[in-house]
C-alpha cells in the first residue's frame, strides 16, 4: 500500500491509495471444505444405521396350517382379566399361565388388551406371562391403534 501526498487538505497530508481492483485468481475453498465436513458427519451418522441388523428367527419352507390350540387372555378397560372368556383374578391368572406353560401341546397365547386399559395393568400381565416362561405370545386387535400411529 502506498501513501500519496494530498495538497487540498491542511489536516491530512497523506491519503491511502485506492485498493487493488484486480480480480482474485485463487479459488475460495472454504465452502467446499464446509460441505465436505457436513457430508462426513452425515456418513458417520447414517452408515451404522444402514448396516445395523436385527437377527430374526424366521420360519423356513412352505407355510402350513398351524393346528395348535389357542388360549385367549383379554384385558378390558377396567383392567379385569378374562382367560378364555372367564373372569379371573391375579392369582387365578398366574395359575392359568403356569398351567399353560407346562402344556405339552405348546399352545399359543393371544393377548387382547383394550385400548383404554391402563398401561401399568398391561405391563403387570406381560410380566406375569414372562415369569411363567411363555414364549409364544400374540398381540391381537391392534388395528385400532394403527390410525393413531400413522
Amino acid at each position: 500500500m502506498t501513501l500519496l501526498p494530498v495538497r487540498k487538505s491542511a489536516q491530512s497530508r497523506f491519503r491511502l491509495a485506492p485498493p487493488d481492483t484486480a480480480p482474485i485468481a485463487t479459488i475460495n475453498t472454504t465452502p467446499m471444505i464446509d460441505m465436505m465436513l457436513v457430508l462426513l458427519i452425515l456418513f458417520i451418522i447414517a452408515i451404522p444405521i444402514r448396516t445395523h441388523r436385527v437377527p430374526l428367527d424366521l420360519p423356513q419352507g412352505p407355510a402350513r396350517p398351524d393346528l395348535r390350540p389357542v388360549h385367549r387372555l383379554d384385558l378390558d378397560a377396567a383392567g379385569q382379566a378374562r382367560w378364555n372368556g372367564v373372569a379371573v383374578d391375579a392369582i387365578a391368572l398366574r395359575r392359568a399361565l403356569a398351567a399353560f406353560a407346562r402344556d405339552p401341546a405348546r399352545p399359543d397365547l393371544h393377548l387382547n388388551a383394550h385400548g383404554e386399559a391402563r398401561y401399568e395393568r398391561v405391563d403387570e400381565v406381560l410380566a406375569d406371562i414372562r415369569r411363567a416362561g411363555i414364549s409364544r405370545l400374540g398381540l391381537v386387535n391392534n388395528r385400532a391403534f394403527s390410525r393413531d400411529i400413522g
Side-chain angles (χ1 to χ4, degrees):
M1 189 177 307
T2 60
L3 296 176
L4 301 174
V6 178
R7 297 183 187 172
K8 294 182 179 179
S9 171
Q11 295 175 351
S12 170
R13 291 196 67 191
F14 299 98
R15 69 177 168 91
L16 296 175
D20 189 13
T21 57
I24 300 173
T26 59
I27 296 174
N28 186 2
T29 58
T30 303
M32 182 177 64
I33 293 171
D34 290 345
M35 286 304 299
M36 187 176 57
L37 291 174
V38 167
L39 290 174
L40 178 67
I41 292 170
L42 286 175
F43 287 138
I44 288 172
I45 292 171
I47 288 175
I49 294 171
R50 294 250 321 146
T51 59
H52 180 71
R53 296 184 184 198
V54 176
L56 294 176
D57 183 22
L58 297 176
Q60 302 295 323
R64 53 193 158 146
D66 194 8
L67 302 176
R68 287 179 213 251
V70 175
H71 292 276
R72 187 171 175 120
L73 175 58
D74 295 311
L75 286 176
D76 61 10
Q80 175 64 44
R82 297 186 182 280
W83 181 262
N84 293 328
V86 178
V88 293
D89 62 353
I91 296 170
L93 177 62
R94 289 185 188 115
R95 285 189 200 132
L97 290 172
F100 176 86
R102 289 189 305 267
D103 190 351
R106 292 193 42 162
D108 290 338
L109 176 62
H110 290 177
L111 175 63
N112 179 19
H114 189 274
E116 298 294 321
R118 293 193 50 88
Y119 177 76
E120 291 85 6
R121 179 64 179 137
V122 177
D123 189 42
E124 290 171 3
V125 170
L126 288 173
D128 288 340
I129 291 170
R130 182 175 175 95
R131 280 188 218 109
I134 297 171
S135 60
R136 298 184 58 84
L137 173 68
L139 300 175
V140 295
N141 235 1
N142 289 325
R143 288 195 177 143
F145 304 111
S146 65
R147 70 176 181 274
D148 295 334
I149 296 170

